[in-house]
Amino acid sequence: MTAERIAKAKKLKMIVTAASARTTPTCGRRSGTTSRRRSHLLQQQCVAEHVLMSILALVRNFVPSHDIIVNGGWNIADAVSRSYDLEAMQVGTVAAGRIGLRVLRLLKPFDVGLHYMDRHRLPEAVEKELNLTYHSTLESLAKVCDVVTLNCPLHPEPNI
């Protein structure tokens, strides 16, 4: 998106882009008065919402089900044969920083078991608020989770 295109789009509310293969997907909202901090928080929320949307699309088998319908199929059994309810699943995040914690907060209303692994443990009050289970190793987290999302930067370090 160029500045010229943005200027012409008078009703534009949001732009979502994947910046490049080496950066985090970002999004931004058009507003002349948006502060840098607000813009950064909005980007974090957009990424967290994208993670939630991806989890739902995968668990509910959305793309294959959509393809069945687009190709003329209408057998509901075909469409839902590999579709599951997110409710009651165990969902974990590797890294519970700004984005990982937002993902956990978005998942709470889905009545899932929430797990996280991070080099820094969250405050006890946050763990209690979200009913989080802390894992000190990736193996421990992966062993109990139906869904694991990675919300960490790529570091050259062997361990998070």
Side-chain angles (χ1 to χ4, degrees):
M1 290 293 294
T2 64
E4 182 180 299
R5 283 186 178 174
I6 293 170
K8 288 180 182 178
K10 301 297 181 199
K11 295 183 179 181
L12 180 66
K13 300 284 187 214
M14 186 175 291
I15 300 168
V16 178
T17 65
S20 79
R22 300 184 127 231
T23 61
T24 304
T26 62
C27 63
R29 180 173 280 186
R30 183 173 116 160
S31 171
T33 60
T34 301
S35 70
R36 216 178 245 162
R37 177 165 166 67
R38 178 166 162 69
S39 177
H40 194 66
L41 292 173
L42 180 62
Q43 289 175 0
Q44 293 168 12
Q45 184 66 22
C46 289
V47 173
E49 288 175 3
H50 182 82
V51 170
L52 176 62
M53 179 182 66
S54 298
I55 290 170
L56 287 169
L58 291 167
V59 169
R60 298 299 305 187
N61 202 37
F62 177 79
V63 173
S65 298
H66 180 265
D67 290 345
I68 289 169
I69 294 166
V70 167
N71 293 322
W74 193 247
N75 181 347
I76 192 71
D78 290 342
V80 300
S81 63
R82 294 192 46 87
S83 177
Y84 303 95
D85 292 333
L86 185 58
E87 183 180 30
M89 284 191 169
Q90 302 300 309
V91 181
T93 179
V94 174
R98 292 180 305 265
I99 292 171
L101 183 55
R102 283 181 179 265
V103 169
L104 292 168
R105 288 188 188 286
L106 289 173
L107 284 164
K108 181 154 177 45
F110 286 88
D111 197 24
V112 295
L114 294 173
H115 303 259
Y116 78 100
M117 184 212 129
D118 198 298
R119 39 173 115 162
H120 305 289
R121 193 158 181 172
L122 291 169
E124 187 178 339
V126 175
E127 287 185 350
K128 284 183 179 179
E129 171 197 347
L130 298 175
N131 196 22
L132 296 174
T133 301
Y134 173 74
H135 296 266
S136 59
T137 67
L138 179 59
E139 293 78 15
S140 170
L141 177 81
K143 196 178 287 189
V144 298
C145 288
D146 301 296
V147 176
V148 175
T149 177
L150 306 177
N151 297 294
C152 52
L154 180 61
H155 288 294
E157 304 165 24
N159 296 318
I160 301 182

